[in-house]
Amino acid sequence: DGDCGDTLDAGAQAISAAIQGAEAAAALAHAGSALRLLGESAQSMGGSSGALYNIGLTAASAAAVRHTSEAPDSPEACMWAAALQAGVDSIMATGGAKPGFRTMVDALVPAVQALAGALDQGKSGGAALASAVDAAHAGAEATKSMRANAGRSAYVPEANQKGVPDPGAVAVAEWLRAIQDALSTPP
């Protein structure tokens, strides 16, 4: 939809800069503060995506802190599932998009459902993340046949949308894949 790549590039650069140094290392040691740092970085992305990522990551940060304090013995993957759910809920409440609107939500919702479902089935955190990544990619792919009802794509002529996945949904699937790759690569 024109500016999605530029917006995401700006966000990636802001995140890369934010995670440098000793102060960032301390923040990255805990999920809540790491998500807060990412949310603050997302503000410099610009566009509606930047605002929505900021809102989602801020909500995820609060949920991670709350989950850690209320269920300290819960597996870490369950905390991440709760944080992701809170972030997605916040993005949908603020932006107004729902599944089927051809937005980032079409990748986020299946990802969070797959993550939680896999954990409920007793799968490992890595296996649950793999399920979330696959679901996000399937959700992004499904946007090829959707008509945009929200987001920047809603301004793109419908004929130009057909057969092309929503860029925001693709971005979600790709950053989830990047997280999976980073966690599966030895330090």
Side-chain angles (χ1 to χ4, degrees), residues 71-158:
D73 297 328
S74 175
E76 185 177 18
C78 292
M79 178 273 305
W80 284 107
L84 184 57
Q85 182 67 63
V88 171
D89 290 346
S90 183
I91 287 170
M92 289 192 322
T94 302
K98 295 180 174 79
F101 277 30
R102 196 179 198 278
T103 68
M104 70 168 76
V105 169
D106 291 298
L108 284 168
V109 168
V112 75
Q113 289 172 341
L115 181 65
L119 291 171
D120 287 346
Q121 294 172 5
K123 292 186 179 177
S124 70
L129 179 57
S131 294
V133 169
D134 290 345
H137 276 279
E141 186 69 17
T143 64
K144 285 181 174 182
S145 63
M146 295 176 188
R147 184 178 153 281
N149 292 307
R152 295 282 295 199
S153 289
Y155 301 103
V156 175
E158 189 173 349

Side-chain angles (χ1 to χ4, degrees), residues 19 21 32 37 47 49 53 73 130 151 153 170 178 186:
I19 62 173
L37 178 67
S49 293
Y53 275 118
D73 297 328
S153 289
V170 171

Side-chain angles (χ1 to χ4, degrees), residues 1-15 38-55 57 104 152 168 171:
D1 58 18
D3 67 344
C4 188
D6 292 336
T7 300
L8 293 169
D9 181 58
Q13 289 183 33
I15 289 168
L38 293 174
E40 291 166 359
S41 299
Q43 286 181 327
S44 60
M45 287 174 69
S48 56
S49 293
L52 290 171
Y53 275 118
N54 172 265
I55 288 163
L57 288 163
M104 70 168 76
R152 295 282 295 199

